[in-house]
Amino acid sequence: MTATSHITGKKINRFTHIHHSTEDLVKKSKMGRLLGSLTGCCFQRCVGMDAMNALSMTTYDIDQKYGTQYNKHFLKFLEYVQENDLVCDGAIVVRGAKCHQTGAVNSHEIITMPTISMREEDKDYAISFAVPADTEGITYILGRQSCDTRKREEGTMDRGNQIYGGHEALVVFDDVFVPWDRVFMYKEWDFAGQLVEQFASYHRQSYACKAGVGDVLIGATQCIAEYNGAQKASHVKDKIIEMNHLNETLFCGSLACAAEGHKEPSGTYYVNTLLANVCKQNVTRFPYEIARLAQDIAGGLMVTLPSEEDFRSPEVGKWVEKYYKGNADVSTEDRMRILRLIENITLGTAAVGYLTESMHGAGSPQAQRIMISRQVNMNAKKKVAKKLSGIDVDE
Ligand code: SF4
Ligand code: FE
């Protein structure tokens, strides 16, 4: 969770670190999984980390080409972030908006970046900078989440996850002033695509977080199997094996793109982009299957369960207690708590992070498929096939 700053040599939070080896990249994947498993939701720090690593490379490359000072600006900002262990968010332009922005309301700094490759006529939008999250002119309009009003009710059982939860927002910039030394790109439209691709690839690696949330869901599913008294059924055991297989496959992709990383001219280590895209493509699918299996094993009670208010009611509480008892050694309350956690991750507020964000965060599935088709070396594959079948390779 900590690293040594390449700027000051001090011990810093790894979320503010610039990767300087493949070991750093692998540790990033492991950190994501660990935190996913400790929080059971999106912990919202990776966007800033990925934006900063991408900027460490692109600002350097722009300076090399145009003699600008962006890398100096960036390193000054980075040192401030490292010294204060700040949470940063990644977003876009000066007047405009970023829809469904993860982590915006709980970040210290907003790092804005272009979101697509640009042509010369788009150059007014090829801009990157950082501003404090409470800068005048920025408004956050909080996203609604399924079952969110449960957080306002008395009692906490119906929330599922008792400790953590993430938030998304529509972030509106209405003529926000940005000081020049916080600018990392200004109209260098020919670098917009590179910055987007680097940020996206890092962020696709970051989705090891979903394997961590998967750990929580698999643990909850094993618990409910036991609480329901069904843990010995062979199909239940087999479904839990399947959940683990899928979850570990997610983790493999994140580790693989890290281990296959390489050094860029700036000195920053960059992930293998093909494997990072394969990793994220799996993330758009497997959590849904893991969630389906969790709901299968949990049973319908997960969605028909009465509220905590009814459970504590002097009138009907005794019946909830009696009729929702499963395994004789487990209290009805514990059974209800685990069911609520599974509901939270697969249908409630945490399903935003575990399911929909797995689908669309760091780019929707088609974005990864385009990258996979671009990055695969098809000529090399054709060449080996032709050679083995006796076709003239030069043809
Ligand atoms: Fe990090 Fe995962 Fe949340 Fe993205 S979705 S910020 S990778 S925890
Ligand atoms: Fe995300």
Side-chain angles (χ1 to χ4, degrees), residues 310-380:
D310 282 333
F311 178 66
R312 308 235 181 264
S313 142
E315 240 175 292
V316 300
K318 57 182 187 287
W319 292 322
V320 177
E321 171 79 50
K322 178 177 172 186
Y323 292 116
Y324 286 141
K325 184 109 183 148
N327 181 334
D329 298 331
V330 178
S331 71
T332 301
E333 178 170 338
D334 286 356
R335 191 178 184 213
M336 288 172 74
R337 282 180 180 277
I338 276 291
L339 285 167
R340 285 290 181 223
L341 182 63
I342 297 172
E343 181 195 32
N344 176 251
I345 296 172
T346 63
L347 291 173
T349 53
V352 178
Y354 189 56
L355 299 179
T356 318
E357 196 170 47
S358 290
M359 179 73 85
H360 296 292
S364 305
Q366 198 59 23
Q368 291 112 55
R369 299 181 81 77
I370 291 166
M371 287 297 290
I372 290 169
S373 78
R374 273 197 213 146
Q375 307 240 317
V376 154
N377 188 346
M378 195 53 86
N379 282 334

Side-chain angles (χ1 to χ4, degrees), residues 270-327:
Y270 184 33
V271 287
N272 177 298
T273 50
L274 172 60
L275 296 179
N277 279 279
V278 169
C279 168
K280 174 67 210 323
Q281 180 78 186
N282 286 339
V283 170
T284 66
R285 301 172 182 180
F286 298 173
Y288 286 86
E289 181 62 9
I290 295 170
R292 189 184 73 79
L293 291 167
Q295 291 193 355
D296 178 348
I297 293 169
L301 186 57
M302 181 187 84
V303 288
T304 56
L305 204 59
S307 64
E308 179 175 0
E309 200 181 341
D310 282 333
F311 178 66
R312 308 235 181 264
S313 142
E315 240 175 292
V316 300
K318 57 182 187 287
W319 292 322
V320 177
E321 171 79 50
K322 178 177 172 186
Y323 292 116
Y324 286 141
K325 184 109 183 148
N327 181 334

Side-chain angles (χ1 to χ4, degrees), residues 41-47 102 203 206-207 209-210 353 357:
C41 62
C42 167
F43 45 85
Q44 326 227 328
R45 289 207 65 162
C46 327
V47 188
T102 300
H203 205 41
S206 286
Y207 274 61
C209 67
K210 303 306 177 205
E357 196 170 47

